[in-house]
Amino acid sequence: MAWREGARAVRADPADLARLPWDTRERAALPIGVRLEFTAPGGARAVDVRYRARVPGPGETMRELAHCFALWRGDRCVGEAFGEPAAEATVRIGLPPGDGPFAVHPPESQSPVVLGLRGVGGPVVPAPRRPRWLVHGDSITEGWWSTRPAHSWPAAAGRTLGLDTVNLGYAGAARGELATAEQLASLPAELLTLAYGTNCWSGVPYGAALMYETTRAFVALVRRGHPETPLLLVSPLLRPEAEAAPNALGATLAELRAAMESAARDLAAAGDGRLALLPGRDLLTAADLADGLHPNDTGHARLASAVTHALRAAGFVTAAATRERTPSRAVGP
């Protein structure tokens, strides 16, 4: 997790919300990417997760969503348990034989607050600490249209690389807000990825020159807190309707993408040797998009594979693993 606000895990600094747009503040309240990671060295046969969640009112669209707690071991989902949004409740998840490590991905839609985790038939303990990976982006990073939280591309890539993924994706936002860059700079991390830009075509229209300068400013502010941390910049993914269509300022998404990529190359040429660029245009095809913008599960898997390959090719994963690790954020009983 990134920050806490009381018992809740939140994804923006509670002390610095006034500088953020309302949509970023709203999305940051959702526990996207939060996981319970543990081992079961004493032969526990199940875990009880005690939680509370907002109860949706009659007729709310979210009321019909499955309230699913998914159990993962390595790259496989090994169990699911279903509960109901409640002021307070407990869900039991059976464990397969073995010590783990295991990860429970709670549902995200009703913002459950985890109150405790208890082993049944044996103890559970926090999983070993892993290098911390901050991933900032928009709804695609947040995981939109993956069918489960664990299928989003940051979650999938983090599992493959053995990283502690902190998902700072904000649906509808992530337009290069400089206050967000300063918040990223304030967080401990061994690895950084920035993957935004499509909302600069539509949500808040940018011109190419503004995209170029904002990219440089955003990276410069992140670098104030992470001068040597490996940073991968992923430019906007394919969006067929926007590639050749001018926005309100006359810029196509292709032009905005080129401006972002030019800014990254110029920063690297000016001496930022820990910055790598992954051009986003050809990472997915139209068939990988659920709605012409957001990846389906296949698209998220392909994007996770591309990011994994880019981080390995740049040598960033090895570099992250050898840096000092941050304290464990695992949730215990």
Side-chain angles (χ1 to χ4, degrees), residues 180-229:
T180 296
E182 291 188 310
Q183 291 195 8
L184 290 172
S186 73
L187 289 171
E190 286 76 52
L191 183 63
L192 301 159
T193 293
L194 309 177
Y196 66 91
T198 195
N199 290 332
C200 298
W201 177 77
S202 55
V204 175
Y206 277 40
L210 179 57
M211 176 65 93
Y212 177 88
E213 294 298 342
T214 299
T215 301
R216 291 181 62 98
F218 196 98
V219 173
L221 288 174
V222 171
R223 283 290 186 225
R224 294 185 68 183
H226 296 282
E228 299 294 332
T229 304

Side-chain angles (χ1 to χ4, degrees), residues 293-314:
L293 170 60
H294 302 98
N296 52 30
D297 278 347
T298 300
H300 275 283
R302 291 188 61 178
L303 185 52
S305 178
V307 170
T308 296
H309 176 78
L311 291 171
R312 285 174 170 162

Side-chain angles (χ1 to χ4, degrees), residues 312-328:
R312 285 174 170 162
F316 287 175
V317 176
T318 301
T322 58
R323 289 170 63 99
E324 182 178 354
R325 296 185 177 185
T326 57
S328 172

Side-chain angles (χ1 to χ4, degrees), residues 254-266:
E255 291 168 340
L256 296 179
R257 184 185 297 114
M260 176 180 279
E261 292 172 1
S262 179
R265 293 188 181 104
D266 288 350

Side-chain angles (χ1 to χ4, degrees), residues 226-261:
H226 296 282
E228 299 294 332
T229 304
L231 189 158
L232 176 69
L233 178 66
V234 185
S235 64
L237 305 178
L238 172 69
R239 185 174 179 177
E241 66 165 347
E243 293 299 329
N247 65 10
L249 292 179
T252 67
L253 184 61
E255 291 168 340
L256 296 179
R257 184 185 297 114
M260 176 180 279
E261 292 172 1

